[in-house]
Amino acid sequence: MKGNVIVGQSGGPTAAINASLAGVYRTAKDRGANKVYGMLHGIQGLLKEKYIDLSDHIKTELDAELLKRTPAAFLGSCRYKLPEIHENREVYDKIFEILDKLDIEAFIYIGGNDSMDTVSKLSRYGERVGSDIRFIGVPKTIDNDLIETDHTPGFGSAAKYVAATVREIVLDASVYEQKAVTIIELMGRHAGWLTAASVLARKKKEDNPVLIYLPESNFDLENFARDLKQALEKRNCVIVCVSEGISDASGKFICEYGSEASVDNFGHKMLTGCGKVLENFVRNRFGVKVRSVELNVSQRCSGMVVSGTDVEEAALAGMEGVKGALKGETGKMVAFARISNPGEEYRMECRFVDVNQVCNQEKAVPAEWITGDGNDIGEKFIQYALPLIQGEPERIMENGIPKYLYR
């Protein structure tokens, strides 16, 4: 390897994103990189020339192993969208000036949809100016909504957390004899992959959570009332799981029934509160004991409930990103391809896909995987998701709690 590597993290953190970072670091050093730089707070930090030499923080093999097991984003993250090239070329000139000064050969960016947009723009600008820097995207998102890949690092651990936590809530909610409803709100703006994972909490068919609603299906309050009435006729305790982004046929988010949602830097509506809206609806309509639970950031930051498969695949994605860059790949994203059939032992392999075909698009849960008139999840999703939540990474503990790597 002739030059150096720089790596950044962007978007929402996950329990496995640092495993990808560890994979990048180890592989780059093994392949001869003199320096492996880390952007502090992604591309936004790089524009301010904020970066570190990762060797100052990963000094031993134990440090690298701790990094793999550390949740959140070790380097810090950002939600910064690069302008279109024709709108502000000066931004790109500045980025490439910094990269050239650092003698960067490979630029690795770990993130989701908006992060792949960054890789796309930088690789296209690099081609325009004749740069030799290779730009590679390493996927990450608990939302599992990137296209051209079977699944994304981060989803397996988040799905495992959801399944385990929902199962525990089911047990807790069922201890009393009185009629009661518990509504669990889960992350997912337009894609319901994470909420669908709540079906894995069932110990048998028709077990709680009885009702599961995803953004892929229109949500109607009267249909919900019908579904809930039927469920309460069969049992005292009913658990309902909903995505934060469920909306009605007009496209209005259910959370907006209570108050208007705010908007983030990308123009996405910041969705919280549909569980509380439904809690009030159930209380007024049915007069039963009802509570709403929002799992919130715990879905993405739990280091105790993670998938061993997810952590190892995340590290593999980082490793393959560096290898691809050194082979001359650029403007690509590392993708997972499942090469096993349902019922067979799970097997996958890494491939490269054109990042321009990935960015700014979302992969929805297939319509045929949603059953029960839009209120349940079918067997095909279960077969898809179960392999991704398997395994327990060896935990490194200190004074009874997990030991992590801090910057």
Side-chain angles (χ1 to χ4, degrees), residues 33-80:
N34 180 43
K35 298 282 188 181
V36 182
Y37 294 105
M39 305 173 222
L40 297 181
H41 303 288
I43 195 69
Q44 190 171 28
L46 182 64
L47 279 164
K48 302 174 184 176
E49 298 196 52
K50 293 183 177 180
Y51 50 83
I52 59 172
D53 182 342
L54 280 168
S55 294
D56 293 338
H57 300 269
I58 309 173
K59 299 180 179 180
T60 66
E61 185 61 23
L62 176 59
D63 288 340
E65 285 299 313
L66 285 173
L67 180 61
K68 279 181 65 176
R69 292 159 175 76
T70 299
F74 180 77
L75 294 172
S77 189
C78 69
R79 293 190 181 277
Y80 177 78

Side-chain angles (χ1 to χ4, degrees), residues 237-389:
C237 169
V238 174
I239 307 296
V240 181
C241 289
V242 297
S243 293
E244 61 181 343
I246 54 174
S247 60
D248 61 24
S250 72
K252 183 176 182 178
F253 292 112
I254 301 305
C255 68
E256 296 180 278
Y257 282 35
S259 61
E260 289 301 311
S262 57
V263 175
D264 68 14
N265 292 336
F266 287 100
H268 305 317
K269 288 186 176 180
M270 299 172 65
L271 309 179
T272 55
C274 71
K276 183 61 67 173
V277 170
L278 295 180
E279 175 189 338
N280 293 332
F281 175 79
V282 171
R283 181 179 293 109
N284 294 333
R285 176 67 68 93
F286 293 92
V288 298
K289 179 183 178 183
V290 57
R291 68 175 56 169
S292 59
V293 178
E294 184 184 349
L295 297 193
N296 210 303
V297 296
S298 298
Q299 297 157 88
R300 72 187 191 195
C301 72
S302 173
M304 283 296 288
V305 184
V306 295
S307 159
T309 296
D310 187 36
V311 170
E312 292 307 316
E313 288 185 345
L316 177 64
M319 180 190 309
E320 292 298 321
V322 174
K323 288 181 178 179
L326 297 185
K327 290 178 181 177
E329 299 282 5
T330 189
K332 301 290 180 65
M333 183 190 81
V334 179
F336 292 164
R338 193 176 303 219
I339 56 176
S340 55
N341 296 316
E344 296 179 348
E345 181 180 359
Y346 168 72
R347 292 176 296 124
M348 59 76 74
E349 65 182 17
C350 290
R351 299 175 182 174
F352 284 96
V353 297
D354 185 349
V355 74
N356 298 296
Q357 302 301 316
V358 176
C359 58
N360 303 312
Q361 299 188 63
E362 291 178 313
K363 179 177 69 177
V365 176
E368 62 270 23
W369 293 7
I370 303 171
T371 60
D373 195 26
N375 63 20
D376 204 357
I377 306 300
E379 183 64 28
K380 287 186 177 180
F381 174 85
I382 295 173
Q383 292 176 355
Y384 166 84
L386 273 178
L388 310 183
I389 68 170

